[in-house]
């Protein structure tokens, strides 16, 4: 774990991050038997567009990107998304480190918010373990009516 460095990602990292995203969400798709999810279908142009509105962090091990997260501050809220860790490096705390790094980088935020699939019990538990709470449930029509939850962590 100590050999993993977290840095800001740049434009040149996007191809590798997108590749890791597809690999990371494949296990999520297998778990729920649903491959019709946006992270598996996202194109390079789409992640490039995300890069113009969001910052990305990358977790590096031996020059390879093994984790990533994106975030964006809007007024007093920081929105977090696309938390991914390579299947080979899971359950070692990197997901939590990436989430906490976003909080450290955004000390002015009053709240942190994210969306995740309602069926992703393990992900919800990870977010709850660092203070997020489910605040809303809805169906995402852009993802074939996939049931989603919105989670929020209030800081002040
Ligand atoms: C969600 C995801 C990023 C989590 O990454 P991760 O690095 O495994 O996360 P962490 O290691 O911080 O925490 C995961 C679990 O490992 C446990 N863990 C952390 N360090 C550990 C260690 N040293 N030994 C054993 N378990 C450990 C945590 O307690 C947590 O357990 P819990 O689920 O029982 O509460 C990863 O599973 C992933 O990429 N999933 C696919 C994409 C996805 O669904 N992303 C979220 C979209 S909203």
């Amino acid at each position: 774990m100590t050999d993993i460095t977290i840095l800001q990602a740049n434009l040149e990292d996007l191809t590798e991050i997108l590749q890791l995203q597809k690999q990371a969400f494949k296990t999520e798709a297998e778990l729920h038997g649903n491959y019709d999810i946006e992270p598996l279908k996202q194109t390079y142009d789409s992640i490039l567009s995300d890069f113009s509105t969001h910052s990305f962090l990358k977790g590096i091990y031996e020059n390879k990107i093994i984790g990533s997260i994106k975030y964006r501050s809007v007024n007093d809220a920081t929105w977090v998304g696309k938390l991914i860790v390579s299947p080979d490096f899971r359950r070692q705390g990197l997901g939590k480190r990436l989430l906490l790094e976003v909080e450290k980088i955004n000390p002015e935020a009053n709240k942190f918010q994210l969306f995740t699939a309602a069926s992703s019990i393990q992900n919800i538990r990870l977010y709850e373990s660092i203070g997020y709470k489910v605040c809303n449930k809805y169906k995402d029509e852009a993802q074939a009516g996939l049931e989603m939850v919105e989670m929020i962590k209030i800081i002040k």
Side-chain angles (χ1 to χ4, degrees), residues 1-2 20 26 36 53 57 65 79-81 98 106 111 114 119 130 151-152 155:
M1 243 310 109
T2 48
L20 177 65
K26 194 161 167 268
D36 191 21
T53 52
L57 296 181
I65 298 177
W79 286 89
V80 175
L98 286 162
N106 293 279
K111 54 191 177 189
L114 56 83
S119 55
I130 57 163
M151 298 188 75
I152 188 165
I155 303 293

Side-chain angles (χ1 to χ4, degrees), residues 4 19 26 74 105-106 111 136 140 147 155-156:
I4 298 170
Q19 211 171 15
K26 194 161 167 268
V74 181
I105 293 170
N106 293 279
K111 54 191 177 189
N136 189 21
D140 185 358
E147 185 115 354
I155 303 293
K156 37 193 156 172

